[in-house]
Amino acid sequence: MSTDVRESTAGPFPRSPAVRDVPLRRVTSLVRSGGPLGMLEHLGEAQGALTRLHLGPFTPFLVTHPEHLRRILRTNAANYPRGAAMWKALSRLVGDGIGGEGAQWHASREVLRGAFSGAYLAQMGPQMAGSIDAAVADLGARGGAGRPLDASVEMTRVVQRVIDPVFFGRLIPDGEGDRLGAAVGTAMGSLLWRMAMPFVPHSVPLPGDRAFRKATRTVNEILRPVVTAARNAPRDGGDVVTRLSNGTGPDGAPLTDDQVCDDIVALFVAGSESSAIGLTWIWVALAQHPDVARRVRAEVDAVLDGARPAREHVRRLTYTQQVLREVMRVYSVGWAVPRTALEDDVIDGVPIPAGSTLAISPYLTHRIEEFWPDPLRFDPARFDRAEVQSRHPLAYVPFGDGVHQCLGEAFFQQEATLVVAAMLSRYDVAVAGRVTPKLSLTLQPQEPVQLVVTPRH
């Protein structure tokens, strides 16, 4: 190993034997041979060792071991804010509130905490279950006569039926939810070049800029009237728009319309797009593991006993929830999350210079054999109570950890359990064709996932 030296605000930092260095030519070769996902999986062979990627002037650290995550997300979290290129690009869409850092982020998070509390989930449980059941029934009407359905589209529709009352208090006009989801998805996808080239000024056009501007105009066309309606007709509801409209910033002043819209979009990205992708992977996993699918359906039939899914069924669908957690382990939707070091630090003997980018990868953390024996095997028993209690608390991080842990984790778990129960109680569900993952902003299917639903008798 060479003795290359990097400069920082505290002086020279020699390479440490505890860090694995990957030169640019090796990264390029891995991408050419296996694509971005193949490269990531090859890097995962380090099995938790800190890895430094040499990408010209850019040398990010890849962080996967739970003890290293503890340093970044818990014990020294203040030194590692969300300040990397990904967040700077995303802030054009989701603003600096719940999608950012600092005082405004903290204020927005406190306003929204109640919208994801156990009490509010219990209150909204009947509405959530009813919305899911109705959406699943409509899905069957579109998939009659064995017609394949695009799982991503259908799961997005189901999720949007859920979040309309919870997020918007039914203030979104009929049909506009689909248009909002499409516009947010377009805006997200068009940010890739800005993330890859954060040094390019916004005055210099890049691919995707025009689509981004058009999509954000659509988002504002839909959300501005919703915010205005919430402000003009104050209500005591617990939905997100009402909470934000009645909320205040760090200075005690009411949140502006811009801040409310930014926070709604940030939550919509997490609550709609990411949830729909996670639900899509569930059907892929069940199709690939028919023995698991049979056991899930048997549990659903036994617990529901002919009734429509309801919140009180969720806690009894224990195996179903284990399956959902194993899906989120294998298919980590948020496959990488960047942080930036504000000051020099040391992680496991490895010097981390100020200004370094650190990419946390749940996808690789969930494949470390020390914590997940035979990690590529799909095994819901990994989430038996005893197994969970004996495992490192940061070995499973699909929703992050620390101060930025996703507020919607319990919301998604309840929502996903009800969706699976509603689908399997009504239909036999199959997936047509082969499905492989790809890396984008999230871990998505390479090919459209085609669902074939057949009514059960």
Side-chain angles (χ1 to χ4, degrees):
M1 186 173 293
S2 79
T3 56
D4 171 59
V5 172
R6 288 176 51 82
E7 298 294 325
S8 84
T9 57
F13 279 82
R15 291 180 186 253
S16 164
V19 68
R20 180 191 187 201
D21 285 279
V22 183
L24 176 61
R25 65 181 180 277
R26 182 58 176 155
V27 174
T28 303
S29 173
L30 290 171
V31 172
R32 285 176 178 170
S33 61
L37 183 58
M39 178 200 68
L40 182 69
E41 291 176 339
H42 178 85
L43 296 176
E45 294 175 6
Q47 288 292 296
L50 275 169
T51 300
R52 182 164 44 201
L53 305 179
H54 292 267
L55 309 176
F58 184 45
T59 56
F61 289 88
L62 183 63
V63 186
T64 60
H65 196 282
E67 274 304 303
H68 302 162
L69 300 187
R70 189 196 299 273
R71 177 69 178 173
I72 295 170
L73 300 177
R74 292 188 181 182
T75 60
N76 198 22
N79 191 51
Y80 296 101
R82 301 188 297 187
M86 173 183 173
W87 297 114
K88 290 178 181 177
L90 276 176
S91 67
R92 297 180 63 207
L93 176 64
V94 302
D96 296 320
I98 198 67
E101 279 283 357
Q104 185 57 54
W105 161 79
H106 182 75
S108 292
R109 188 175 175 90
E110 288 305 304
V111 168
L112 293 169
R113 190 181 299 278
F116 297 96
S117 66
Y120 188 59
L121 284 178
Q123 176 187 334
M124 293 301 297
Q127 174 63 61
M128 177 184 287
S131 296
I132 288 171
D133 193 54
V136 168
D138 291 347
L139 178 153
R142 288 189 294 275
R147 290 190 299 272
L149 300 168
D150 187 319
S152 176
V153 172
E154 297 302 332
M155 292 303 101
T156 299
R157 284 173 172 161
V158 171
V159 168
Q160 288 175 357
R161 288 278 284 271
V162 173
I163 67 176
D164 182 28
V166 177
F167 282 19
F168 305 117
R170 296 191 184 85
L171 291 173
I172 294 284
D174 290 343
E176 290 290 78
D178 284 351
R179 196 162 74 100
L180 177 61
V184 170
T186 297
M188 286 283 288
S190 64
L191 287 173
L192 286 172
W193 280 93
R194 286 291 171 192
M195 291 181 183
M197 305 176 69
F199 48 85
V200 176
H202 289 301
S203 58
V204 177
L206 286 177
D209 284 356
R210 182 177 300 177
F212 178 85
R213 287 192 295 270
K214 182 178 179 180
T216 51
R217 282 198 299 271
T218 300
V219 169
N220 279 301
E221 287 172 7
I222 297 170
L223 289 184
R224 289 288 177 170
V226 172
V227 174
T228 300
R231 289 201 190 280
N232 291 342
R235 299 169 296 164
D236 295 328
D239 61 84
V240 166
V241 175
T242 300
R243 288 177 185 273
L244 290 171
S245 297
N246 295 334
T248 58
D251 57 357
L255 296 178
T256 66
D257 285 0
D258 285 340
Q259 289 169 328
V260 172
C261 285
D262 286 344
D263 283 346
I264 291 172
V265 172
L267 287 170
F268 194 89
V269 169
S272 178
E273 182 175 7
S274 298
S275 294
I277 294 170
L279 287 167
T280 298
W281 284 123
I282 290 170
W283 305 116
V284 174
L286 292 180
Q288 292 175 345
H289 305 280
D291 54 332
V292 172
R294 283 190 293 269
R295 186 171 170 185
V296 171
R297 186 169 70 173
E299 181 181 70
V300 167
D301 288 347
V303 170
L304 268 58
D305 193 23
R308 297 266 61 85
R311 186 175 188 269
E312 54 266 27
H313 295 133
V314 172
R315 63 180 178 83
R316 297 168 55 198
L317 293 166
T318 53
Y319 182 71
T320 302
Q321 294 197 53
Q322 289 176 10
V323 171
L324 297 179
R325 291 187 172 94
E326 178 70 343
V327 170
M328 298 305 292
R329 180 190 74 85
V330 175
Y331 300 103
S332 306
V333 175
W335 62 273
V337 182
R339 293 286 189 270
T340 299
L342 294 181
E343 299 179 356
D344 296 331
D345 195 12
V346 176
I347 297 178
D348 197 16
V350 177
I352 307 295
S356 296
T357 295
L358 299 94
I360 296 168
S361 178
Y363 184 90
L364 295 184
T365 299
H366 297 164
R367 284 163 168 73
I368 298 178
E369 293 183 5
E370 178 185 354
F371 308 102
W372 307 99
D374 193 7
L376 299 184
R377 175 170 50 87
F378 189 88
D379 183 9
R382 300 181 196 274
F383 293 93
D384 289 342
R385 182 183 296 272
E387 288 284 332
V388 172
Q389 291 176 343
S390 66
R391 191 178 298 127
H392 193 294
L394 292 179
Y396 183 68
V397 285
F399 297 93
D401 191 81
V403 296
H404 286 290
Q405 184 167 358
C406 178
L407 285 171
E409 180 175 358
F411 181 94
F412 174 78
Q413 194 70 15
Q414 176 172 301
E415 174 188 51
T417 304
L418 288 170
V419 169
V420 171
M423 288 281 287
L424 295 185
S425 65
R426 285 181 179 271
Y427 311 115
D428 292 321
V429 183
V431 172
R434 181 173 175 268
V435 180
T436 54
K438 70 172 182 179
L439 294 187
S440 182
L441 291 180
T442 51
L443 185 75
Q444 299 182 14
Q446 179 77 46
E447 308 84 8
V449 177
Q450 299 294 321
L451 292 184
V452 179
V453 297
T454 306
R456 295 177 61 188
H457 300 289

